[in-house]
């Protein structure tokens, strides 16, 4: 398992092809949940190439299922606040852990700002729902932490039930087929064009840089 704290992620050459962000609120084909909504509407924005891939992935889903997008672009300050907040929770909960372990465990749930996929507009948190918007069983809630879920948030977690395992497999198959990569400690997190994607796919550089 490669974590976002791995030095190989930060070592990927950065580049940006200039692709625009699109507002998913203007794409009625995709369902957008408002739980992560911010006043500026950043949560609803993704790079055009990612939005196109989500539309293609949705077309491959079994009848009766749709993608439900939770969050796309996340500005630097929001990313930093989430990272430092969770890092402090772990530090207080595990006073015996070294600073290095606290940092590594933090990156299982939230990316360091210098390599954060969401801040490129190339990452998306999402789940599956029915045609009428009811979320299906995925084993944990979106954004469940490894600590709270006892690692059931890991995409390949063996502890989840059969229905959740089946739904995760549907999500993995659909999104992998269109070129997105998953962060294995978060079944809901997928990205394209960022440093993590470049490392996993062998791309020579990123397609998207921080915005």
């Amino acid at each position: 398992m490669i974590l976002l704290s791995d030095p190989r992620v930060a070592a990927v050459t950065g580049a940006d092809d200039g692709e625009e962000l699109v507002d998913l609120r203007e794409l009625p084909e995709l369902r957008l949940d408002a739980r992560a909504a911010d006043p500026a509407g950043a949560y609803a924005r993704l790079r055009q190439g990612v939005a196109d891939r989500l539309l293609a992935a949705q077309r491959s889903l079994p009848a009766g299922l749709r993608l439900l997008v939770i969050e796309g672009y996340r500005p630097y300050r929001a990313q930093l606040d989430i990272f430092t907040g969770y890092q402090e929770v772990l530090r207080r909960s595990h006073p015996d852990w070294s600073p290095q372990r606290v940092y590594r465990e933090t990156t299982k749930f939230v990316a360091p700002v210098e390599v954060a996929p969401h801040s490129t507009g190339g990452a998306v948190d999402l789940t599956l729902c029915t045609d009428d918007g009811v979320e299906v069983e995925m084993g944990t809630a979106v954004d469940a932490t490894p600590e709270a879920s006892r690692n059931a948030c890991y995409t390949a977690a063996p502890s989840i039930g059969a229905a959740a395992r089946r739904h995760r497999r549907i999500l993995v198959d659909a999104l992998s087929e269109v070129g997105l990569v998953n962060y294995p400690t978060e079944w809901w997190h997928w990205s394209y064009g960022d440093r993590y994607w470049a490392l996993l796919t062998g791309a020579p550089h990123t397609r998207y840089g921080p915005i």
Side-chain angles (χ1 to χ4, degrees):
M1 181 185 296
I2 299 176
L3 297 178
L4 283 158
S5 56
D6 193 305
R8 290 175 292 175
V9 179
V12 171
T13 300
D16 194 307
D17 65 10
E19 191 173 273
E20 296 292 328
L21 289 172
V22 296
D23 193 328
L24 300 187
R25 291 171 295 187
E26 299 174 1
L27 293 177
E29 301 93 338
L30 290 173
R31 279 188 175 270
L32 180 64
D33 186 275
R35 76 189 72 174
D38 60 289
Y43 81 107
R45 294 182 168 88
L46 283 173
R47 298 279 189 154
Q48 180 72 63
V50 180
D52 291 343
R53 284 169 172 79
L54 293 185
L55 289 169
Q58 182 164 264
R59 288 192 291 269
S60 74
L61 294 176
L65 289 178
R66 294 183 63 181
L67 298 178
L68 179 64
V69 176
I70 309 297
E71 185 178 17
Y73 172 61
R74 186 184 297 153
Y76 174 92
R77 173 53 59 181
Q79 184 71 31
L80 180 61
D81 288 347
I82 296 171
F83 186 88
T84 56
Y86 188 57
Q87 188 176 45
E88 184 59 24
V89 167
L90 291 182
R91 182 182 292 115
R92 291 179 177 178
S93 300
H94 301 279
D96 55 318
W97 285 3
S98 68
Q100 293 78 15
R101 182 172 182 187
V102 170
Y103 180 83
R104 184 175 184 274
E105 295 296 324
T106 301
T107 67
K108 291 180 179 179
F109 177 64
V110 58
V113 289
E114 60 271 17
V115 297
H118 278 285
S119 297
T120 71
V124 60
D125 292 340
L126 77 178
T127 187
L128 293 173
C129 67
T130 62
D131 285 333
D132 55 2
V134 178
E135 292 180 51
V136 303
E137 176 59 48
M138 299 297 286
T140 74
V142 172
D143 281 342
T145 68
E147 287 271 297
S149 71
R150 298 184 179 180
N151 295 339
C153 59
Y154 286 23
T155 306
S159 59
I160 61 174
R165 190 173 298 111
R166 181 173 66 256
H167 292 143
R168 288 191 190 186
R169 175 47 54 191
I170 290 170
L171 192 67
V172 167
D173 289 347
L175 295 174
S176 298
E177 183 64 26
V178 296
L180 274 70
V181 300
N182 172 243
Y183 193 47
T185 61
E186 301 178 343
W187 60 261
W188 57 85
H189 177 95
W190 292 79
S191 67
Y192 176 85
D194 63 302
R195 279 187 161 87
Y196 195 76
W197 165 87
L199 179 63
L200 264 60
T201 63
H205 54 75
T206 64
R207 283 196 60 186
Y208 309 141
I211 300 173

